[in-house]
Amino acid sequence: MIKEEKKTATAEEKTAKKKQRKKLFLKILLGIVAVIAVFILCVSLVSLIGNNANMAKAKSFENAGTRQLELEEYEDGFVNIYCDDELKVMQLTDVHLGGGWMSLKKDSMALNAVAAMITEEKPDLVIATGDVAYPILFQAGTINNFTGLKLFAELMESLGVYWTIAFGNHDVESNSIHSYEEVLELLSGEDYPHCLLSTAPGDVDGYSNHVINVVNSENKVTRSLIMIDSHAYAKGHIPVINWAYDNVHDNQIEWYSQVVKNLADENGAAVPSSVFLHIPLTEYRDAWNEYVENGRKDTENVKFIYGIAGEDGELVYCGSAEDGLFEAMLDGGSTDTVFCGHDHFNRFSVDYKGIKLTYGMSIDYLAYVGIYKVGAQRGCTMITYGTDGSVEYSAENYYQDKYSTVYEKETVEML
């Protein structure tokens, strides 16, 4: 009898202990959930308050006093700028506005830099060669790519400057909240009349293939600015482990060739053109390697103009395959200059087989670890197109004294 009572008591104790463990587990689980909920709430509040402050900052800059152009927009990705004077274009690249709680301060610095350079230079047109937005969760704290794009678009409206973009690999990530179609609808909407982004017909791959032609009073095109979508990642790409980038696709090359042919037919001769895209062509790599292998001296194919390859190992992170765009440029006899971004520390310009290949100065404060402390690569590229079809350009560093800022400019190392 005593043994049975002991067994019963032992069973009851075990049951009680199981209940206690369950209660403890539930308490721990609820505690974890509560901590996560509080964290999410705090992050949401910080993001809301911080992004509202940055949006207010973007809207706080005064009109830069840039020329308001006479424009005509057409279907299928064409815009005409009517101009009998020189056209002044600023290339910006890799602005990398995160738009999340982790990037608030760096987004603010990027806005300050862009505003200062536009206010001083007063370009007629700004061309952003990709990665305006950087919605990377572990660096920006968000996957909402609208926030960074809106910050930039609002800044351009405040400054009153016309602008467009050739998309980069980060503007619309595979896990971004908003698609390319939604981004196009946002930027081409009534809220942003200074944005000239449009897109070629749907049978051409990509979402930012478009053309801005400069037309004089004799109805002749003196310069064509051709934006090409260089896409994002190649098949088999594994982030961090294998950075493999896409190339310009065949139907885009066909579209480009048709554009320059039609312009030549309409004008009676080849029209000088510039191509703007994000990811560098493989010829950037080929040209730089040939120059370095020749003891950093000019070759028959390569003429050094300025700059350095500042990426580790002097690497050029071009598309992982070959494409025929450069050959199409040579065949078309139209394009004399190509401007790209993507590699934030590369800032060289070379003449390769008669076509000038140039990296834009980047803005990035966020993507590369510690890059906010370094300043030699940060700035813009100023391009002047003459009425005779000529082109001149220069790399301009943001930390020059001529670029005075409304808000305090940070101190950096000029490596």
Side-chain angles (χ1 to χ4, degrees):
M1 191 72 178
I2 293 173
K3 288 183 177 180
E4 290 180 0
E5 288 177 352
K6 285 183 176 180
K7 285 181 180 179
T8 303
T10 301
E12 289 176 350
E13 288 173 357
K14 287 182 178 179
T15 302
K17 286 180 179 178
K18 284 182 179 179
K19 289 181 178 179
Q20 286 177 349
R21 285 197 294 269
K22 286 182 179 179
K23 287 181 180 179
L24 180 60
F25 175 76
L26 286 172
K27 285 181 180 178
I28 293 172
L29 182 61
L30 289 171
I32 292 172
V33 171
V35 169
I36 293 173
V38 170
F39 176 77
I40 292 173
L41 178 61
C42 290
V43 165
S44 298
L45 286 173
V46 169
S47 293
L48 178 62
I49 295 169
N51 281 320
N52 283 343
N54 276 341
M55 192 64 73
K57 181 174 185 176
K59 295 178 179 180
S60 72
F61 293 99
E62 295 182 359
N63 189 294
T66 60
R67 175 167 50 166
Q68 297 305 289
L69 301 169
E70 182 183 351
L71 302 169
E72 189 170 6
E73 299 186 40
Y74 299 87
E75 294 181 355
D76 296 339
F78 284 85
V79 176
N80 280 355
I81 293 176
Y82 295 99
C83 177
D84 281 326
D85 304 316
E86 291 182 340
L87 189 79
K88 194 174 183 181
V89 173
M90 173 185 287
Q91 180 204 5
L92 294 174
T93 197
D94 298 87
V95 182
H96 281 249
L97 294 166
W101 66 278
M102 297 173 68
S103 65
L104 294 172
K105 183 177 180 181
K106 293 173 182 177
D107 291 348
S108 177
M109 291 191 287
L111 293 171
N112 199 38
V114 171
M117 292 186 291
I118 291 175
T119 299
E120 171 63 27
E121 298 289 357
K122 297 183 177 10
D124 300 308
L125 174 67
V126 171
I127 299 178
T129 50
D131 286 4
V132 165
Y134 188 71
I136 303 300
L137 186 61
F138 66 90
Q139 287 179 288
T142 185
I143 57 173
N144 187 347
N145 49 330
F146 261 18
T147 308
L149 291 165
K150 283 181 177 179
L151 283 171
F152 190 80
E154 292 290 350
L155 177 62
M156 296 296 103
E157 288 304 315
S158 297
L159 296 170
V161 63
Y162 289 101
W163 69 284
T164 192
I165 180 174
F167 288 134
N169 53 296
H170 289 303
D171 294 301
V172 181
E173 291 280 355
S174 60
N175 65 335
S176 294
I177 291 177
H178 299 285
S179 66
Y180 281 107
E181 290 84 359
E182 291 172 313
V183 169
L184 282 170
E185 184 177 358
L186 169 74
L187 296 180
S188 60
E190 295 180 357
D191 290 340
Y192 305 119
H194 282 86
C195 181
L196 303 182
L197 172 63
S198 56
T199 187
D203 58 350
V204 181
D205 292 346
Y207 294 86
S208 58
N209 305 298
H210 60 293
V211 180
I212 298 177
N213 289 323
V214 183
V215 184
N216 65 19
S217 55
E218 296 178 356
N219 208 33
K220 293 290 186 181
V221 178
T222 59
R223 170 66 56 167
S224 186
L225 311 178
I226 304 174
M227 275 55 68
I228 295 181
D229 193 326
S230 57
H231 310 288
Y233 307 105
K235 292 181 180 179
H237 158 77
I238 303 173
V240 181
I241 297 174
N242 173 30
W243 292 111
Y245 297 101
D246 204 350
N247 294 76
V248 176
H249 297 179
D250 288 345
N251 60 20
Q252 293 175 278
I253 297 171
E254 293 171 6
W255 170 80
Y256 160 84
S257 296
Q258 193 62 53
V259 166
V260 298
K261 181 181 183 303
N262 290 346
L263 285 171
D265 290 345
E266 293 168 5
N267 280 259
V271 173
S273 65
S274 297
V275 166
F276 296 83
L277 75 173
H278 181 66
I279 298 173
L281 303 175
T282 56
E283 283 75 16
Y284 276 74
R285 177 196 60 200
D286 298 342
W288 187 257
N289 288 348
E290 183 174 321
Y291 170 72
V292 171
E293 290 167 4
N294 195 48
R296 300 183 189 274
K297 296 179 181 178
D298 290 352
T299 71
E300 182 180 351
N301 293 323
V302 184
K303 305 295 183 290
F304 177 81
I305 300 173
Y306 65 70
I308 65 169
E311 296 287 326
D312 288 344
E314 298 191 57
L315 293 178
V316 169
Y317 292 94
C318 52
S320 58
E322 297 289 337
D323 63 56
L325 180 57
F326 189 81
E327 287 73 17
M329 292 177 184
L330 292 175
D331 291 342
S334 166
T335 298
D336 53 20
T337 40
V338 182
F339 298 92
C340 77
H342 190 55
D343 300 333
H344 305 184
F345 284 123
N346 286 351
R347 50 189 185 275
F348 66 75
S349 179
V350 295
D351 185 310
Y352 186 55
K353 299 182 179 180
I355 298 176
K356 295 177 175 63
L357 306 178
T358 302
Y359 272 103
M361 300 281 280
S362 66
I363 300 295
D364 178 34
Y365 287 87
L366 177 62
Y368 285 18
V369 176
I371 197 169
Y372 69 96
K373 300 176 183 178
V374 183
Q377 78 294 337
R378 187 167 294 121
C380 64
T381 303
M382 292 306 306
I383 311 163
T384 301
Y385 294 110
T387 57
D388 58 353
S390 62
V391 55
E392 295 181 357
Y393 59 91
S394 62
E396 299 293 335
N397 186 268
Y398 167 52
Y399 299 98
Q400 296 177 79
D401 290 340
K402 69 174 180 176
Y403 296 131
S404 59
T405 59
V406 175
Y407 302 93
E408 184 178 359
K409 186 186 293 188
E410 67 281 351
T411 301
V412 293
E413 296 179 10
M414 300 299 287
L415 301 178

